[in-house]
Structures are given as C-alpha cells and as structure tokens.
Amino acid sequence: MKHYANFLLFLLLVSVIFFAACKKEEKTMVDINTINADGSHNESYIFREEIEKEKQRELKRSDPDFR
C-alpha cells in the first residue's frame, strides 16, 4: 500500500511539473496594417469600426428629415 501511495504522489508531482512547464506566454500582436512604412503606427486602423460608426451618425444627422 505504501508503494502505491508513493507511486501516486510521484505521478502527481510529475504531472504538476509537466503542466506548469508547458504554459506558453502570449505575445502581444499588432496588426500589420497599423504599421506605416516609416515605422510609425496608424491608430486610425485600430479604431476603424468606431470611425465608420461615427461617419454614419454624422451622415444621418446631415440628411434632411422629410416628415
């Protein structure tokens, strides 16, 4: 019985070390379209969806209201 408990303890220890060592660090990724040729960043690409929504709101406000 003692050998069985030692074997389970060893197996648990090995599995904990194995899973702790397998964690990969996530790298921060930047979309290639945000980097200009000179190395600067084009942040308008990052916020393109918000910019489009704002353009649609402004266009909607500028349209005459026919009621």
Side-chain angles (χ1 to χ4, degrees):
M1 185 72 173
K2 187 176 180 182
H3 294 291
Y4 182 71
N6 285 340
F7 177 73
L8 285 178
L9 183 62
F10 176 73
L11 188 62
L12 179 65
L13 181 64
V14 169
S15 63
V16 167
I17 291 173
F18 176 72
F19 285 116
C22 289
K23 288 185 179 179
K24 293 183 180 178
E25 292 184 27
E26 292 188 24
K27 298 178 182 177
T28 56
M29 304 294 281
V30 178
D31 198 329
I32 194 69
N33 296 327
T34 63
I35 303 173
N36 295 330
D38 62 353
S40 63
H41 294 278
N42 182 5
E43 294 177 0
S44 65
Y45 182 79
I46 297 172
F47 300 109
R48 68 187 180 279
E49 294 172 357
E50 287 80 7
I51 292 171
E52 287 296 321
K53 288 178 186 177
E54 183 145 346
K55 283 181 184 177
Q56 291 296 327
R57 279 189 230 120
E58 289 176 8
L59 183 64
K60 190 174 183 179
R61 280 188 230 139
S62 67
D63 287 342
D65 188 19
F66 298 110
R67 288 188 189 182

